[in-house]
Amino acid sequence: MCICRTGDIPPDLFMDLSGHINAKTPFLRTEIATGILATLPKEPEAQLLVYLGEVSSEVNIPWHFHNGPLISIIVQGECIIQFSNDEAYHYTAGDVFVEPVGVVHRAYNPNPDVAMSALAVQLTSPGRAHIVNVEAPPADFK
């Protein structure tokens, strides 16, 4: 099950972690990775990468892509993920999202006062780099 913010973020890329329990439902377990099952490596030797990424205020990280699905949880601050097709999504602390395999993108921290921190988990096939930096987006990027 994916719960999407109001309209602008595709349900398979976003999951809001808060506000789903109440007095009638004091406990809730929500699956967040069902949409990426087809992109998971099938080899038993798949590589697991778990890291805390930090981006200083008003900084872009380089253009890059992932060779395996990456699930991120924003734990502090906010970020804008900009894809090479000019789509952009804004995430804030508590948001969970999946970065698709092989799609060029970058992240920007728009907050002038707070660094962004994200906990990320990625599975990649053996022998493949988790993250591949690229010089710039494709020539047709706007």
Side-chain angles (χ1 to χ4, degrees):
M1 173 171 108
C2 271
I3 298 170
C4 186
R5 272 193 192 160
T6 53
D8 62 342
I9 300 172
D12 59 339
L13 295 180
F14 176 79
M15 179 67 182
D16 184 359
L17 287 182
S18 61
H20 304 294
I21 57 172
N22 55 46
K24 292 182 180 180
T25 309
F27 172 78
L28 179 66
R29 183 175 293 135
T30 304
E31 295 177 13
I32 62 173
T34 56
I36 64 167
L37 188 57
T39 65
L40 292 175
K42 307 300 184 256
E43 301 89 351
E45 303 84 20
Q47 304 173 96
L48 173 66
L49 176 66
V50 179
Y51 66 92
L52 179 67
E54 298 177 277
V55 180
S56 295
S57 297
E58 299 180 319
V59 168
N60 269 314
I61 65 169
W63 289 99
H64 64 281
F65 64 89
H66 302 278
N67 279 319
L70 180 101
I71 302 169
S72 294
I73 303 167
I74 304 297
V75 293
Q76 174 182 287
E78 59 187 301
C79 75
I80 296 172
I81 304 294
Q82 181 183 14
F83 292 94
S84 60
N85 66 1
D86 209 23
E87 289 182 31
Y89 301 101
H90 187 212
Y91 301 105
T92 59
D95 290 347
V96 176
F97 58 96
V98 176
E99 294 183 19
V101 177
V103 178
V104 176
H105 63 284
R106 66 180 176 182
Y108 172 69
N109 177 1
N111 192 307
D113 302 313
V114 178
M116 185 281 297
S117 297
L119 177 64
V121 177
Q122 182 178 1
L123 285 171
T124 306
S125 293
R128 299 195 72 183
H130 288 288
I131 301 167
V132 178
N133 288 325
V134 296
E135 289 298 317
D140 61 349
F141 181 75
K142 297 176 184 178

